[in-house]
Amino acid sequence: MALLAPPIPSQLPEFAQHYLSRTKQLYIDGKFVDAQSGKTFPVFNPATGEILAEVAEGDVADINLAVAAARRAFESKAWSGLPPSQRARLIDKLADKLEERLEDFALLESLDNGKPLAVARVADVPMSVDNLRYMAGWATKILGDSIPIAGDFHAYTRREPIGVVGQIIPWNFPLLMAAWKLGPALAAGCTIVLKPAEQTPLSALLLAEIAAEVGFPPGVLNVVPGYGETAGAALAEHPDVDKVAFTGSTEVGKIIVRAAAGNLKKVTLELGGKSPNIIFADADVAQATQGAAFGIFFNMGQCCTAGSRLFVERSVFDEVTHGIAAAAKAMNVGHGLDARTDIGPLVSDEQLARVTGYIESGIAEGARTLSGGARVGDRGYFVEPTVIVDAKPHMKIMREEIFGPVVAATPFDDPNEILGAANDTVYGLAAGVWTKDVSKAHKVAAALRAGTVWVNCYNVFDPALPFGGFKQSGWGREMSHNALECYTETKSVVVKL
Ligand code: NAP
Ligand code: MG
């Protein structure tokens, strides 16, 4: 598979040139500042491997300053003490500004992460806007209960903000993950220290700029890019942080839980997945094939929900797998800014090595590729969309999260036994079911141990829908009213009458 030529535009669009020419600073207490150490780190363009920008490298000292600023903003009630309608208005203004700057954000996201610009325009940025607007609506609807209890008492509950929250996010949807986390925290009245992924800190920093413009009080939102092992770890273990919300690998999720134990801060986790996508012979096979391809290749497979284990009833197995392979071969691999691109680069050289390593391990263990399987070009981090067959349940490619455009397809004969195979994973984030039999669809949806089950569709999200994992895919839920609950404490008040 050849890389689209020319692989990169000769000159970046004007906004990016201007924005990226200056070293990006940390955003602490309403000001853009250098790191205390004076250090910076490079951010790479995954399409070329070249340095895109220099970013101030936050570390323990900067996290301490950011947490102190967030604490002051919380204790002063500069945010939680505002009338809820004013909090809602500011979150709405942030959403409006984000929408106004859609092109700039989409461009940064494409350059930083590698994803097609067209996708960032219709998915990442508008979905972030939508999430903020949805959560703005909740700010005025955080209610307690009036509870009849025994005796002469008036009892009620209040839902109060948890306090200072640390939010640690990954690189696959940098802006959207920030919006998922900021929205409910801001609506609830919490103050925030956000640490974006070292690979993709740019859109979160631009978000901080527009938050400052729309008038968020200093300290309410702080953004501290830096490395996970330093800045991230400092935030997760900080004794003055009341809650940490994390999205990323299950491995680091476990480190976060241990770090949080020091002050028993509240923890929510959105972790990895190895999601089963099950196609029954009675499905609309053409639609299911297309859906399965989308389910694995969207965002170059760098989705925690990626439908990476495909189970297909034997009578339609060849039709489906050859259909996905044909779709894979027809995809254009190229630079995110090229309008013809379907598949951009993976985010980093580390991720390139990881994904190609998994493909090699699958082949070494006896699986075979029906399409793809190789790196594309020798510059940038491109990998072919890959369909693997003959994988066995014990193989690494069937058990571990690959986080790349690689699907392993397995035929099944007995529809009653497929649930055992589908649930045979430590993960439980998402699953897909394709069938025209309504009864079967609901029975299978109920039996799958996953936080989201898509029937005759895949990767459908909405701010009103809870999202999160069973088993080792996480704790708590994002989006929806459930997310809001994860940023509040319930207080019972009992009054003697
Ligand atoms: P990761 O290490 O889990 O990174 C996620 C976030 O956690 C980043 O902001 C990272 O900072 C931070 N972090 C790392 N170590 C930390 C620590 N000790 N304490 C506090 N924070 C820490 O993920 P990755 O290394 O980028 O990717 C590895 C694999 O994780 C992927 O191949 C994929 O399987 C999985 N993953 C899953 C998701 C998801 O949405 N569920 C997202 C991304 C990755 P730095 O970026 O600075 O290290
Ligand atoms: Mg990492």
Side-chain angles (χ1 to χ4, degrees), residues 52-201:
L52 191 59
E54 284 290 333
V55 176
E57 184 192 327
D59 202 335
V60 183
D62 311 285
I63 290 290
N64 286 343
L65 287 175
V67 170
R71 174 58 60 192
R72 281 194 302 277
F74 185 71
E75 299 302 336
S76 72
K77 299 210 178 330
W79 184 240
S80 65
L82 284 182
S85 60
Q86 278 191 37
R87 277 211 311 279
R89 231 178 112 69
L90 266 171
I91 302 168
D92 262 330
K93 277 190 177 172
L94 185 64
D96 291 347
K97 197 77 170 173
L98 184 56
E99 196 168 44
E100 266 172 41
R101 301 280 304 271
L102 183 142
E103 279 301 317
D104 294 343
F105 275 94
L107 178 61
L108 271 193
E109 208 70 334
S110 172
L111 285 171
D112 204 5
N113 166 280
K115 65 180 67 199
L117 176 61
V119 172
R121 272 187 189 133
V122 299
D124 298 69
V125 186
M127 286 169 82
S128 301
V129 170
D130 222 28
N131 267 280
L132 290 173
R133 290 212 173 113
Y134 172 86
M135 284 299 169
W138 274 119
T140 49
K141 297 163 196 74
I142 300 174
L143 309 177
D145 293 313
S146 166
I147 302 174
I149 63 172
D152 223 3
F153 302 101
H154 169 44
Y156 61 95
T157 56
R158 292 166 49 82
R159 295 212 65 110
E160 300 181 0
I162 273 186
V164 174
V165 301
Q167 302 185 324
I168 301 174
I169 57 173
W171 41 257
N172 52 346
F173 295 91
L175 177 70
L176 187 60
M177 293 302 100
W180 277 18
K181 293 219 181 325
L182 295 177
L186 289 170
C190 296
T191 59
I192 298 151
V193 179
L194 176 77
K195 195 209 79 72
E198 73 197 48
Q199 298 85 350
T200 56

Side-chain angles (χ1 to χ4, degrees), residues 142-292:
I142 300 174
L143 309 177
D145 293 313
S146 166
I147 302 174
I149 63 172
D152 223 3
F153 302 101
H154 169 44
Y156 61 95
T157 56
R158 292 166 49 82
R159 295 212 65 110
E160 300 181 0
I162 273 186
V164 174
V165 301
Q167 302 185 324
I168 301 174
I169 57 173
W171 41 257
N172 52 346
F173 295 91
L175 177 70
L176 187 60
M177 293 302 100
W180 277 18
K181 293 219 181 325
L182 295 177
L186 289 170
C190 296
T191 59
I192 298 151
V193 179
L194 176 77
K195 195 209 79 72
E198 73 197 48
Q199 298 85 350
T200 56
L202 300 176
S203 55
L205 289 170
L206 186 59
L207 194 66
E209 259 182 44
I210 65 170
E213 279 168 36
V214 302
F216 277 85
V220 172
L221 167 62
N222 305 274
V223 180
V224 185
Y227 294 111
E229 295 74 8
T230 52
L235 191 54
E237 70 192 18
H238 202 292
D240 208 24
V241 169
D242 299 299
K243 172 197 163 115
V244 62
F246 170 79
T247 296
S249 59
T250 293
E251 183 192 349
V252 174
K254 291 177 183 177
I255 296 174
I256 300 282
V257 168
R258 278 182 228 115
N263 69 336
L264 285 177
K265 57 174 66 66
K266 307 296 184 273
V267 179
T268 48
L269 304 168
E270 201 262 276
L271 307 175
K274 193 72 188 171
S275 299
N277 197 5
I278 308 170
I279 301 180
F280 291 99
D282 59 9
D284 176 332
V285 175
Q287 189 194 44
T289 303
Q290 211 181 23

Side-chain angles (χ1 to χ4, degrees), residues 199-484:
Q199 298 85 350
T200 56
L202 300 176
S203 55
L205 289 170
L206 186 59
L207 194 66
E209 259 182 44
I210 65 170
E213 279 168 36
V214 302
F216 277 85
V220 172
L221 167 62
N222 305 274
V223 180
V224 185
Y227 294 111
E229 295 74 8
T230 52
L235 191 54
E237 70 192 18
H238 202 292
D240 208 24
V241 169
D242 299 299
K243 172 197 163 115
V244 62
F246 170 79
T247 296
S249 59
T250 293
E251 183 192 349
V252 174
K254 291 177 183 177
I255 296 174
I256 300 282
V257 168
R258 278 182 228 115
N263 69 336
L264 285 177
K265 57 174 66 66
K266 307 296 184 273
V267 179
T268 48
L269 304 168
E270 201 262 276
L271 307 175
K274 193 72 188 171
S275 299
N277 197 5
I278 308 170
I279 301 180
F280 291 99
D282 59 9
D284 176 332
V285 175
Q287 189 194 44
T289 303
Q290 211 181 23
F294 172 68
I296 187 64
F297 299 139
F298 179 62
N299 212 43
M300 290 69 77
Q302 300 170 135
C303 293
C304 45
T305 54
S308 52
R309 289 182 304 140
L310 182 64
F311 298 100
V312 187
E313 204 164 339
R314 195 174 300 273
S315 61
V316 296
F317 183 78
D318 285 346
E319 185 183 349
V320 169
T321 49
H322 286 105
I324 300 173
K329 285 176 189 155
M331 287 177 151
N332 287 323
V333 180
H335 192 293
L337 299 192
D338 188 324
R340 297 166 298 173
T341 294
D342 302 305
I343 294 265
L346 299 180
V347 76
S348 62
D349 52 354
E350 193 185 340
Q351 204 57 22
L352 173 69
R354 222 181 123 87
V355 172
T356 51
Y358 272 116
I359 298 171
E360 283 157 21
S361 98
I363 290 166
E365 288 186 284
R368 147 177 94 79
T369 57
L370 216 52
S371 75
R375 181 180 182 184
V376 186
D378 53 8
R379 189 167 179 238
Y381 315 132
F382 300 92
V383 174
E384 291 176 315
T386 300
V387 179
I388 292 184
V389 291
D390 296 342
K392 299 286 172 290
H394 66 272
M395 293 182 186
K396 256 172 53 169
I397 52 164
M398 287 291 279
R399 309 213 70 81
E400 298 177 19
E401 185 174 45
I402 299 176
F403 227 61
V406 182
V407 66
T410 310
F412 67 88
D413 296 299
D414 181 353
N416 294 318
E417 276 175 20
I418 186 56
L419 286 171
N423 284 332
D424 178 21
T425 169
V426 298
Y427 294 113
L429 193 60
V433 184
W434 300 82
T435 175
K436 284 187 193 153
D437 179 336
V438 174
S439 166
K440 192 195 283 178
H442 289 291
K443 279 187 190 158
V444 172
L448 286 165
R449 303 273 298 149
T452 298
V453 179
W454 287 296
V455 179
N456 296 331
C457 57
Y458 210 88
N459 275 340
V460 177
F461 299 92
D462 192 279
L465 262 183
F467 178 77
F470 282 31
K471 301 198 270 183
Q472 292 191 34
S473 286
W475 290 355
R477 291 294 178 269
E478 306 234 52
M479 300 194 280
S480 78
H481 185 251
N482 295 47
L484 201 73

Side-chain angles (χ1 to χ4, degrees), residues 5-74:
I8 38 165
S10 53
Q11 216 181 16
L12 290 183
E14 202 185 323
F15 163 72
Q17 280 188 41
H18 168 73
Y19 187 75
L20 301 175
S21 61
R22 297 165 282 140
T23 297
K24 308 317 298 173
Q25 293 175 299
L26 315 174
Y27 184 65
I28 297 176
D29 207 11
K31 291 185 275 302
F32 282 94
V33 294
D34 290 331
Q36 292 292 299
S37 66
K39 282 202 236 169
T40 63
F41 68 102
V43 173
F44 297 94
N45 181 341
T48 62
E50 284 164 5
I51 293 177
L52 191 59
E54 284 290 333
V55 176
E57 184 192 327
D59 202 335
V60 183
D62 311 285
I63 290 290
N64 286 343
L65 287 175
V67 170
R71 174 58 60 192
R72 281 194 302 277
F74 185 71

